[in-house]
Amino acid sequence: MLLPQLVASRWGRLAVVLLVCASSFFVHADAPAVSLMEARNFVAAREMVAGGSWLIPTMNGELRLAKPPLPTWAVATLQQLTGPTTQLGLLRLPAALAATLLVLFFWGLALELTRTQAAEVSAPGRTAWLAALVLASSLLVITTGREGQWDIFANSLMVGGVWLLVRGWQRPQGFGSCIGAGVLMGLAILSKGPVPVYGVLLPFLGAYLIRQPHNRQLVARRAKATAAAALLALGIGGSWPVYIWMHVAPVARQVAHTEMSSWADRHVQPFWYYWSFFAFTGLWALVALASLVVPYARPRLRAFIPYLLIFAWVMGGLLLLSIVPEKKERYMLPLMPPLALLVAGLLRYWEAKPTTSLSSPDGWLLRGWGWLLATLCVALPVAVLLVHLPGFEPSGLRFLSVSIVFVALAVGVVLQLLRGVRPGGLIVATLLITSAVLVLLMPVYPAWESRHATAGLRHMEEVADRPAFAQVRQWRSLDTLHVKQVWLAGRAVPVWHPTSAALQQLKAPVVVVAGSAIHKKLPPEWARWVRISQQDSFWLGRDTKSGYWLISRLDPI
């Protein structure tokens, strides 16, 4: 009886949500290698901490204006508190916190959207709580929350703004909530410009207001507070672009033109690219797909959630994202919150109905979901064995632990199915399987990434640690060095086109890197002023196909 009482209390529910967030976003956060977007963010933050401008960021010594700076400020602030670091688990902490805030903000929004539903009388707040758990354990939210880039900040803050906006509209004293919404929305704009407005706010407003006369009356009643929120959001979100425009207008115009044109000619995908968005909920995918089938889901879910509003939110967001030519998987993140609420509505329907009264489609869906979970639990240890992951030998303790955990989960799911088709056990199993994968298998992810790597290759971080190079303050690149290599170098490596005069005036050693022979990229008379005292090379990737660069030290004569 203790567990049901725990999950029925506010603090018990909060504890469960935070536990799921801990395993989803924080545990083994240092496992994946740094990504391209992370490298850009971390390099810009490193240069802020090293004495660069916080208002006019740079990346590898060049202006970095393509993205607003709030996520970079978060990483730089962390480094101000902890000191300069290359520990990815620590650098990803702001993103993990933003992901946790996304779940908590969405929980609040779901409570506002469902509090007048008929089913709230018997189990107040349970639908919103389940929606928060679904969101925290959804595949796309997990992967984005474990990566220190812009999307998780922008979506989290905008969902928080939407929550406070709805709270301000629906509560008797709502002015303060609307002001808070304006602050969060402004910070969301400072995280990724107009993207969260387009991807999160617009589809929600369309679903909340179109063919919803009661909601329109609520908004009209708070017209002044809503206008204040909008002005505050524009003021906060527009402050940085205005500052940039006042100080570096020519570069800002060029960057703005490049970014706008990229929406149409970079990463272009067909209109239907996002059709499988429901699969990015991970282990909830089958339930998510069923919740999108209107004839099936609408009569079942309307007592638990405002189905047509949430469905319109999902479909409106999908349409807006699909008409933009540039598409990436992480751009589907705005679809995950409303989809999580649809999933929670269907879970609540299954919970509320006695087993004997579940219709054939419901029984088939629950059984199919359960057998998929059981199959996955059995398949995971087999897959680990077949791919020969280091440290997971058949006689090893780690493989034994993984096998015991997942086989036990599989047995638990099968027993649930044999005793009767009930969703509660499947919900718990889904959360446990997701957490077990992250806790037990995430540490071996680097080995999985390097499964095709060529042994013995030396990379930038190893070469950069050589005393002959590490002791030199100035590093330069004779070609454009990829930002991931800049991150691994541990310092800025700006492009340099040395002239004879520059070499003649050189007073201290310089480390130079290039994609081809370095002496051929120097002026013809270079040997009169400098000598190449150290030479080495580093590979750009895990195998020889990635290519290599050369690194040398130039000492003035």
Side-chain angles (χ1 to χ4, degrees), residues 286 362-374 417 426:
L286 182 62
D362 297 305
W364 294 339
L365 281 169
L366 281 167
R367 291 187 188 91
W369 181 25
W371 285 112
L372 281 174
L373 293 177
L417 294 173
L426 299 182

Side-chain angles (χ1 to χ4, degrees), residues 207-220:
Y208 191 80
L209 298 176
I210 296 174
R211 303 188 67 178
Q212 301 283 347
H214 175 66
N215 291 344
R216 290 199 296 272
Q217 291 175 3
L218 293 176
V219 175

Side-chain angles (χ1 to χ4, degrees), residues 126-345:
R126 183 167 177 82
T127 303
W129 177 60
L130 288 176
L133 291 175
V134 170
L135 185 67
S137 54
S138 292
L139 177 62
L140 186 58
V141 178
I142 292 172
T143 56
T144 311
R146 285 175 163 268
E147 190 175 353
Q149 37 93 342
W150 286 261
D151 292 86
I152 193 64
F153 290 89
N155 283 270
S156 174
L157 293 165
M158 187 55 74
V159 168
V162 170
W163 163 48
L164 290 181
L165 203 57
V166 173
R167 183 181 176 86
W169 290 336
Q170 297 187 165
R171 300 280 178 157
Q173 302 296 327
F175 187 82
S177 294
C178 289
I179 295 302
V183 172
L184 289 179
M185 290 180 178
L187 294 176
I189 296 170
L190 274 179
S191 297
K192 208 176 178 185
V195 173
V197 176
Y198 181 82
V200 178
L201 183 61
L202 284 185
F204 176 81
L205 290 179
Y208 191 80
L209 298 176
I210 296 174
R211 303 188 67 178
Q212 301 283 347
H214 175 66
N215 291 344
R216 290 199 296 272
Q217 291 175 3
L218 293 176
V219 175
R221 195 174 62 189
R222 293 278 186 269
K224 292 183 179 179
T226 304
L231 290 174
L232 190 57
L234 290 174
I236 294 174
S239 59
W240 182 75
V242 169
Y243 181 87
I244 291 298
W245 196 263
M246 292 172 60
H247 289 80
V248 285
V251 180
R253 279 194 295 268
Q254 182 181 357
V255 170
H257 180 268
T258 302
E259 289 297 304
M260 287 188 291
S261 63
S262 71
W263 294 348
D265 57 24
R266 249 184 354 195
H267 305 289
V268 175
Q269 300 292 345
F271 179 82
W272 55 87
Y273 181 75
Y274 294 135
W275 72 270
S276 60
F277 69 96
F278 62 89
F280 287 83
T281 57
L283 298 182
W284 308 101
L286 182 62
V287 187
L289 180 59
S291 71
L292 293 168
V293 181
V294 177
Y296 166 81
R298 183 182 179 186
R300 289 168 169 80
L301 274 62
R302 60 188 174 191
F304 303 94
I305 63 172
Y307 180 78
L308 289 181
L309 189 157
I310 306 304
F311 180 80
W313 181 8
V314 174
M315 292 296 107
L318 179 62
L319 176 63
L320 289 178
L321 293 175
S322 297
I323 61 179
V324 177
E326 183 185 18
K327 296 179 178 67
K328 297 179 183 179
E329 289 180 353
R330 57 186 167 85
Y331 292 174
M332 288 186 282
L333 188 59
L335 304 178
M336 295 300 108
L339 194 54
L341 191 49
L342 289 178
V343 170

